[in-house]
Amino acid sequence: MDAFPAYFPLAGARIVVAGSGEGALNKLRLLASSPATLVRVEGPDAFLTGSYSGALLVFIDGEDEAFAKGAAAAARAARTLVNVTDRPELCDFTTPAVIDRGEVVAAIGTGGASPMLATMLRNDIEQRVPEGTGRVAALFRNFQDDVRARFPELHARRAFLRETLSGAVAEAAQGGDMEKAQSLFRAAIAQGPKAAGKVQFVAGRGPADLLTLRASRALAAADVIAADPGADPDILAMARRDAERMTPDEATPEAMIDLARSGRRVVRVVVQAPPAEEVRFLAAAGVSVEVLASAS
């Protein structure tokens, strides 16, 4: 990862856009729906440090090299983060291609190397992010404290949220019926934990692009990961960074049964087909088991 993506809260923030070119207008349009205070700076004022005082971010559309360098120097003297259109060497950060769904914002960046590629990728991904996604996120934020109080254990909370995000609660919010969504959410919280854990065997020999979508989703949702030696690193990179790690020796059938019964999702990344007797043993114990092979 050559650049670290981060999100800055914009409520109450001051953002300065300096310059008068098309790039400046694009930034103003991009931020028009945000809760930030937008300040436009043009001409000689762009060279004054005071023009940028208190700004969280500064966007500069360099009309020419002298303007770009002078404005960037003044902004940095005010201790702000600076982005200069088409001049990555003058930037503290780059501007990604953004998918804006209100509470849900997705960004695709190339570190300034190819904005056109970022735009193309955004167009592809945007079609997969429904318009109502922001309403779902807003609903879940409003119930965040209630969920934490009802499900103090992290794995139980994750299991509840996974189930709720794929059920009637999210569907109602997606469709705009927020009153129904809130009612269903309250009922689900009151009902408490009900999602059972499972054990999923994922083919780990590689290459990673042969993994099925179901297998990649299993890795992304795993609470516990146990990988065989020789598993493809690109496959392991798909797993959640905060998932608990176990060695294959620790991931005995008995241990996996205990984890699944406690509501956890266990993913065994294997380089050979899992032993049939192990799969049968887990199933006989009442554990949900999936064997997810590559798409080859």
Side-chain angles (χ1 to χ4, degrees):
M1 182 165 54
D2 293 333
F4 182 75
Y7 289 83
F8 293 91
L10 296 181
R14 183 172 186 263
I15 296 178
V16 177
V17 179
S20 55
E22 185 63 26
L25 294 176
N26 288 340
K27 296 302 186 296
L28 290 169
R29 283 193 287 266
L30 174 66
L31 296 162
S33 63
S34 79
T37 299
L38 301 181
V39 178
R40 182 79 180 273
V41 175
E42 298 181 79
D45 287 346
F47 303 119
L48 302 177
T49 299
S51 296
Y52 308 101
S53 178
L56 173 67
L57 303 172
V58 172
F59 296 92
I60 298 170
D61 183 29
E63 300 161 348
D64 54 46
E65 193 72 16
F67 180 91
K69 289 184 176 179
R76 285 202 178 86
R79 298 183 181 278
T80 66
L81 295 173
V82 178
N83 172 272
V84 184
T85 303
D86 293 333
R87 289 180 172 84
E89 71 280 2
L90 296 179
C91 293
D92 298 316
F93 67 97
T94 57
T95 306
V98 173
I99 300 170
D100 185 0
R101 295 290 187 261
E103 296 278 344
V104 175
V105 178
I108 302 94
T110 61
S114 179
M116 180 58 68
L117 174 60
T119 299
M120 291 173 62
L121 292 172
R122 179 198 63 195
N123 292 340
D124 289 341
I125 297 171
E126 195 165 24
Q127 300 174 34
R128 302 169 185 243
V129 185
E131 286 291 341
T133 304
R135 290 191 292 270
V136 177
L139 174 71
F140 276 66
R141 182 177 65 175
N142 290 339
F143 282 93
Q144 195 171 58
D145 290 342
D146 301 275
V147 171
R148 287 182 178 276
R150 186 69 177 87
F151 304 93
E153 291 186 331
L154 183 58
H155 73 273
R157 188 160 64 247
R158 283 180 177 144
F160 170 79
L161 292 173
R162 274 195 300 262
E163 185 174 352
T164 312
L165 279 167
S166 59
V169 172
E171 287 179 8
Q174 190 87 50
D177 191 343
M178 301 307 292
E179 184 175 344
K180 178 180 178 181
Q182 291 171 9
S183 176
L184 290 172
F185 210 156
R186 291 190 185 95
I189 292 172
Q191 185 177 24
K194 65 175 182 178
K198 63 170 59 176
V199 175
Q200 295 168 296
F201 292 89
V202 170
R205 184 182 293 276
D209 58 3
L210 290 181
L211 277 189
T212 63
L213 179 60
R214 192 173 184 84
S216 62
R217 285 176 173 170
L219 288 162
D223 295 305
V224 181
I225 298 281
D228 284 349
D232 189 322
D234 291 337
I235 289 178
L236 297 180
M238 296 180 179
R240 279 194 11 242
R241 298 294 187 270
D242 57 347
E244 180 185 344
R245 261 55 175 186
M246 297 177 69
T247 67
D249 289 340
E250 292 171 331
T252 64
E254 293 78 12
M256 291 191 290
I257 288 169
D258 288 342
L259 290 167
R261 285 176 174 170
S262 70
R264 290 173 171 84
R265 290 194 178 193
V266 182
V267 171
R268 277 285 285 115
V269 182
V270 294
V271 296
Q272 302 290 342
E277 62 272 15
E278 185 171 323
V279 174
R280 286 195 295 267
F281 183 78
L282 293 168
V287 172
S288 175
V289 184
E290 286 186 296
V291 179
L292 305 173
S294 298
S296 57

